Amino acid sequence: MRVCVAGLGYIGLPTALAISAGGLEVIGVDLNTDLVDSLKKGFLPFKEKGLPELFERAVKAGVSFASIYAPAEVYIIAVPTPYDSRYKKINTKYIEGAVASVCKVCPKGAIIAVESTVSPGSMDRAVRPVIEEAGLVIGSDVHIAHVPERIIPGNMLYELEHNSRTIGVENAEAGEKLKQVYSSFCKGEMVVTDIKVAEMTKVVENTFRDINIAFANELSQICYNEGIDVYETIRIANMHPRVKILQPGPGVGGHCISVDPWFLVGDYPDIVNVVFAARQVNDSQPSYILRRISKIMQDNNITDISDVGFYGLTYKQNVDDTRESPTLQIIERMKENLASGARFYDPFIPYKLVDNQHFDFESFVDDVKLVVVMVSHDHIKSREAMLRGKIVFDTQNCLAYADAIKL
Ligand code: SAJ
């Protein structure tokens, strides 16, 4: 069976490689010709544990990369869905473009499976009209499916192989074929359902996590007011067999958890309460961190913002993805308050992303009095000793350093 994976980013590339290593014929397509050229030369566009090894296996198995679409029995669409944070809406233009291109080359009976993050109803709103416009009949000329991705950056390849999959389809035959494709690399259970349920489960999964993190963040503020250790509180509460509270932090970033709940808020404004409140709590956590920083500055007679250094620009530990990251959110809030001059460092971001960015950890630490740890990269955990003599605000509770100030 031939599978064409459209979009060779964080999701599409590992998926294409895994299917190829799993024994099916795979062509990976991306409109970015530079990316395709560099993949052909053996260069990977981002870091992920185990990816170079998987790449090697896929190349041996014959994976190919191209910028134009080719005939295939199954198309997996994993193109970006850019998010407009002002209007809380996702843009499906790349999905629509990919589907239109697929329609021009696909053989009769092909399956078009969308993995990209979409809001519930997008398959009807964005995908169906493009296919109809191309003159194809859904259900006979092509079949559509939604197979939302579920892998977590930082542990993608393990999860790709072990997580169960939701396969949203309109007929059992397409479900069977997709099961075959996904079972080529995934040992998890394949759950076949309808498209609307598949769309909803994706949003529900990320919203559940957002609400849980919001609870932890709110608890951190309550506990701070009372002088109670929030981490100890959560640790003990989680010993109850039916309690599993996540960890507080500096805010929620990434392209999924901070985005998907907004779909429910936007589409059901008269119903949502909890979902909306959780979003507000998590979105305001960076401002809370800023208030805590200003208190720490006051307590330690620090008056110059350039004496404050933020460690970490990515949205979470050990990844190089900065989308919606809490540190970038903090920078935005500081701009609104005309506070500039703070310093920034992230070992995963070796290019200039923000003003006053340092590229050497030692000089970054030397130049500041207060280090705010925003991201718990392994990098800083192994360099704790270098923070000695500094005031440290550890918003991730990742350091053993006894004097570090916690949430
Ligand atoms: N965070 C906390 N406290 C926690 C856990 C996370 O503050 O206890 C923060 C992180 O620091 C980060 C944000 O939440 O800023 C999101 O990180 P994450 O690791 O929870 O999740 P993502 O966005 O990397 O990936 C999520 C995953 N969804 C779920 O776990 C339900 C992943 O499985 C999805 O594939 C992905 O979203 C997606 O693409 O939808």
Side-chain angles (χ1 to χ4, degrees), residues 11 117 149-153 159 163 202 204-209 213 216-217 245-258 260 282 314-317 324-326 374 396:
I11 301 300
T117 292
E149 60 87 5
R150 263 186 173 166
I151 52 180
I152 196 138
E159 294 210 346
N163 287 358
K202 167 73 184 191
V204 164
E205 288 162 12
N206 283 341
T207 303
F208 172 80
R209 201 160 163 84
I213 297 168
N217 282 338
I245 307 167
L246 289 168
Q247 296 298 307
V252 171
H255 186 54
C256 304
I257 293 182
S258 64
D260 294 8
N282 287 338
T314 64
Y315 84 91
K316 67 174 189 178
Q317 73 281 9
E324 321 297 326
S325 94
M374 295 289 289
Q396 293 280 2

Side-chain angles (χ1 to χ4, degrees), residues 78-120:
V79 295
T81 41
Y83 175 62
D84 183 336
S85 54
R86 228 171 94 206
Y87 298 106
K88 319 287 185 205
K89 289 243 181 275
I90 237 160
N91 190 331
T92 51
K93 65 179 176 188
Y94 295 120
I95 296 185
E96 290 164 42
V99 171
S101 306
V102 166
C103 286
K104 290 187 188 137
V105 295
C106 66
K108 193 171 170 66
I111 300 174
I112 304 177
V114 175
E115 277 211 26
S116 311
T117 292
V118 291
S119 56

Side-chain angles (χ1 to χ4, degrees), residues 111 143 145 167-182 190 192-193:
I111 300 174
H143 301 282
I167 300 178
V169 283
E170 292 185 314
N171 64 60
E173 213 179 296
E176 273 314 306
K177 200 166 226 178
L178 285 172
K179 261 181 163 180
Q180 230 179 305
V181 171
Y182 283 91
M190 307 283 144
V192 177
T193 183

Side-chain angles (χ1 to χ4, degrees), residues 306-336:
S306 66
D307 285 330
V308 180
F310 289 81
Y311 176 91
L313 286 161
T314 64
Y315 84 91
K316 67 174 189 178
Q317 73 281 9
N318 304 329
V319 300
D320 56 9
D321 188 341
T322 60
R323 288 177 296 178
E324 321 297 326
S325 94
T327 308
L328 295 183
Q329 293 180 43
I330 279 189
I331 292 173
E332 281 309 307
R333 314 254 152 113
M334 287 200 292
K335 271 191 203 145
E336 285 160 18

